[in-house]
Amino acid sequence: MKHLIIFSALSLFLTGCGGGGGGGGGSSSVSGLNLPNSMSVVTADSSGSGKLTAGQFSSKLSGQSSPAFKLLTDADTQYMTDEANTYVYDASMESLDTVNMIMCLMEQTRATDMVNKGAYIALVNEDKCEQGQNQSSSGSTGQSSGGSATEFNSWTVVSTRASNTADQVVQIWVPGETGGSDPMDGQTILIELTASEGVSASLPFGSFSMNFKGVVDAGAFGGTVGVEVETMKGHLQTVANSQSKPQFSFINLGGDALTGGSSMNFSFEEAANVILDDASGTGGKALTSRSESSGMQSSASTYAIAFNSNYLLRGNDTNGDGNANAQVCKSRSQFNSQVWRYNLYHTDEVTFNGAAVTAGQRVELDSGFPFSYDSNNDGTDDGYGWVGYNGIWSEDNSLADGDTITQFDYQNDTTINHTVNIAAGKMIRRTAITEALTSFQGDDFQFWGMHPTSGVFDQWVVTVDNNNDFQITAVLSWGENGPVMSTTYDDDNDTNTAEVNVAVALTVNNNENIWLWSDALGGNIVYVEDTTVIAANRTVTFYGEEFISPTDSTLFPAGTSSVTLYCYDRCLIG
């Protein structure tokens, strides 16, 4: 198995596709280098920007004639200048998911701002860097909001730089979990990054080299306790080339490929070599590979990619002979899109939460704060946690009712003590809501079932048309970067051009019900066909959720202080 990709291994020429050929914080004297927060290669065409146009707000703002009045879409507003992060999924980019995960996690350590400030603990939200993943909400999982509390991992970080002309060195220790049933839960990850130049207009990735590895005590695999076993290792670095073009390479190995035995019964390898035409990143070439094996199952893929501002040409070496024998050409401006997160912006010059704001200014949300606490009652704070909208998280879950936690006020350089109050759990009421199907014309839902014409059982996108009928408009698959929708069903992984067009009406027999899914409506939606009702009067039923308080007059009528509840699903053991 090759451990490095040679850039000339697979050759593609884009003409066959129909196109054409810092500084940060730190001490007062030494500044940190700005490191990249991602190493994205192929991005979405920005001409399809998700920003609203001025015309969409003209009716609301047209009455303001003062030249001093700021419009939402003025060039200098945060609405226009805030960076939009986009992630593009393509099978050839899967090996870069790990790269972008690493850089996203690195950004959370704030190593640029902590140069020469000694070792420190960084609370890192690893879920935040699951790019494009549909993060389950309480509505979609049927769980209370407390089950969605943000969780962090404590990383120990040291960021040093001798001078403003010296390299910056960042060392990180990521502890493994203790007490887990899987030996890999205890994997400790060690990272060292050396950066010589920060991100700039001419160096979109800066200039750096990073080594990382994961280690586990051999005793977890039946070996000698106290002996360190390397379970994963990798290298990510920018590459200097004679054309002075932005380039980086990546290799990541793990599992039995390193341990030399079968104790893990799993191995993987992923690699990438990327070179861009220029700093703008509108064109370039890349080679990527990914392979893994587990038990009797294994998979491997090697891709060559060439792209410009209009097209992406992808070649897949399906038989391992070093030649791209399956090629696919894709447009960079025509794609299915999904919004995962978004900011809120003010549309007027008003007073908000006691402060004056202007149109186009970002709404600053107070999502919570970190805190420290004394985990062993020795008088010294040694534990860390986070209080947020969905609840409280602490490192060892040892907080008890009445405990004191300490918040650090960074603006005033002071501490604030809070008392923990642990109360009984909340009750959520699910209420069936019936609404006319006409309200959802043009809306998309998800549906698991059999395709009426192809006989394929899969997950489909179903749209309500103008006649209140259900139309299958796309097939939905889930990649590591989120949902991927296609209007054709490809059952042979691009080995030929035989693809099935999915567009077809979803027929429902009388009294038959179909279950759909919508994140926007909180989860399950049910539709029951009734041929005695005209199309305009068809309805769907979905469920709304609300917290119940002791003052709820529906559940606790006047004079009632208790209610009998019956369990019908996932009941507690008394």
Side-chain angles (χ1 to χ4, degrees):
M1 183 177 294
K2 297 179 181 178
H3 288 179
L4 291 174
I5 289 184
I6 306 303
F7 209 88
S8 60
L10 291 175
S11 296
L12 285 176
F13 298 95
L14 198 55
T15 53
C17 196
S27 67
S28 58
S29 58
V30 179
S31 298
L33 294 172
N34 285 325
L35 304 175
N37 57 19
S38 70
M39 309 284 278
S40 297
V41 177
V42 181
T43 58
D45 186 344
S46 59
S47 62
S49 171
K51 293 185 182 298
L52 300 174
T53 63
Q56 291 176 273
F57 284 88
S58 59
S59 60
K60 182 177 182 62
L61 302 178
S62 59
Q64 304 289 344
S65 58
S66 169
F69 184 81
K70 183 176 286 294
L71 290 175
L72 178 75
T73 52
D74 283 354
D76 61 343
T77 63
Q78 290 178 317
Y79 177 78
M80 298 301 294
T81 60
D82 276 356
E83 180 181 358
N85 296 313
T86 61
Y87 306 100
V88 176
Y89 173 80
D90 184 80
S92 61
M93 300 297 171
E94 288 188 354
S95 62
L96 297 179
D97 292 347
T98 304
V99 174
N100 285 315
M101 167 74 80
I102 292 171
M103 301 316 296
C104 174
L105 295 172
M106 285 286 296
E107 183 185 29
Q108 291 190 54
T109 67
R110 301 294 294 272
T112 297
D113 302 315
M114 298 295 289
V115 168
N116 297 335
K117 293 189 176 182
Y120 63 96
I121 299 293
L123 296 183
V124 176
N125 179 4
E126 297 175 358
D127 291 338
K128 182 179 179 180
C129 295
E130 293 287 347
Q131 294 180 357
Q133 294 290 345
N134 186 5
Q135 304 299 324
S136 298
S137 64
S138 58
S140 62
T141 62
Q143 302 296 319
S144 67
S145 64
S148 303
T150 301
E151 295 186 7
F152 294 84
N153 197 2
S154 298
W155 292 21
T156 301
V157 186
V158 179
S159 180
T160 57
R161 193 181 187 199
S163 69
N164 283 323
T165 58
D167 291 348
Q168 179 178 338
V169 179
V170 182
Q171 296 172 307
I172 302 175
W173 177 70
V174 183
E177 299 178 10
T178 57
S181 58
D182 186 345
M184 289 302 295
D185 291 342
Q187 177 180 248
T188 296
I189 300 176
L190 308 173
I191 305 169
E192 182 172 273
L193 178 146
T194 301
S196 58
E197 294 187 70
V199 173
S200 64
S202 59
L203 294 173
F205 308 127
S207 178
F208 72 91
S209 176
M210 176 196 296
N211 293 302
F212 56 91
K213 70 175 182 178
V215 296
V216 174
D217 192 301
F221 297 108
T224 304
V225 176
V227 175
E228 184 181 274
V229 173
E230 198 173 69
T231 52
M232 176 269 290
K233 66 179 179 180
H235 181 71
L236 172 64
Q237 70 170 14
T238 56
V239 178
N241 54 66
S242 57
Q243 299 85 23
S244 298
K245 294 182 177 181
Q247 182 178 351
F248 69 86
S249 63
F250 169 68
I251 182 73
N252 187 22
L253 308 172
D256 291 335
L258 297 181
T259 61
S262 58
S263 56
M264 294 179 66
N265 198 31
F266 174 76
S267 64
F268 71 88
E269 176 180 328
E270 52 189 1
N273 196 347
V274 177
I275 184 169
L276 303 182
D277 291 342
D278 52 48
S280 67
T282 55
K285 299 181 180 69
L287 285 167
T288 66
S289 68
R290 182 183 177 92
S291 64
E292 61 179 275
S293 63
S294 178
M296 301 297 293
Q297 297 182 341
S298 63
S299 63
S301 60
T302 301
Y303 293 98
I305 308 103
F307 62 97
N308 60 20
S309 58
N310 298 315
Y311 301 100
L312 178 145
L313 179 62
R314 183 184 76 198
N316 185 5
D317 179 9
T318 59
N319 56 13
D321 65 355
N323 296 312
N325 50 351
Q327 296 189 16
V328 176
C329 181
K330 295 186 176 183
S331 169
R332 291 189 61 191
S333 60
Q334 299 177 10
F335 45 81
N336 296 311
S337 61
Q338 180 79 33
V339 177
W340 296 108
R341 296 183 181 93
Y342 53 86
N343 291 329
L344 298 177
Y345 299 86
H346 298 283
T347 59
D348 293 303
E349 290 184 331
V350 295
T351 299
F352 181 77
N353 285 342
V357 298
T358 61
Q361 182 176 335
R362 188 188 321 110
V363 177
E364 298 297 338
L365 302 177
D366 186 1
S367 59
F369 60 85
F371 64 85
S372 60
Y373 62 98
D374 184 358
S375 66
N376 54 10
N377 296 317
D378 64 353
T380 302
D381 282 1
D382 58 348
Y384 301 91
W386 176 270
V387 173
Y389 173 81
N390 289 317
I392 188 170
W393 169 87
S394 61
E395 285 187 293
D396 54 9
N397 297 316
S398 64
L399 291 175
D401 190 49
D403 282 354
T404 298
I405 61 175
T406 302
Q407 172 191 1
F408 188 82
D409 185 346
Y410 291 94
Q411 290 185 337
N412 301 309
D413 198 24
T414 59
T415 57
I416 306 171
N417 289 334
H418 303 274
T419 301
V420 176
N421 179 19
I422 298 179
K426 297 178 181 179
M427 182 182 294
I428 296 177
R429 174 168 53 207
R430 300 182 73 239
T431 304
I433 302 172
T434 300
E435 190 164 337
L437 192 57
T438 54
S439 302
F440 301 102
Q441 289 182 358
D443 290 351
D444 292 336
F445 302 101
Q446 298 173 24
F447 169 69
W448 273 104
M450 193 74 70
H451 192 277
T453 58
S454 67
V456 174
F457 189 91
D458 212 323
Q459 189 172 7
W460 312 94
V461 177
V462 175
T463 305
V464 181
D465 66 15
N466 294 334
N467 297 320
N468 278 1
D469 292 322
F470 295 103
Q471 301 286 339
I472 293 180
T473 55
V475 62
L476 181 65
S477 60
W478 294 89
E480 293 188 6
N481 282 343
V484 182
M485 292 181 286
S486 174
T487 57
T488 58
Y489 185 81
D490 182 4
D491 58 357
D492 52 15
N493 196 26
D494 289 331
T495 57
N496 57 53
T497 58
E499 296 182 340
V500 180
N501 194 310
V502 302
V504 67
L506 181 63
T507 56
V508 187
N509 298 322
N510 189 40
N511 294 324
E512 181 183 358
N513 66 287
I514 59 173
W515 290 89
L516 306 169
W517 181 273
S518 170
D519 286 324
L521 296 179
N524 285 317
I525 300 168
V526 63
Y527 169 77
V528 180
E529 176 70 10
D530 184 353
T531 57
T532 65
V533 176
I534 63 174
N537 293 335
R538 294 173 181 170
T539 61
V540 294
T541 302
F542 57 96
Y543 296 88
E545 294 187 350
E546 58 182 336
F547 287 113
I548 301 299
S549 69
T551 60
D552 186 275
S553 59
T554 301
L555 193 61
F556 302 104
T560 304
S561 59
S562 63
V563 64
T564 300
L565 302 176
Y566 298 91
C567 178
Y568 64 92
D569 185 28
R570 287 173 289 184
C571 302
L572 298 175
I573 298 176

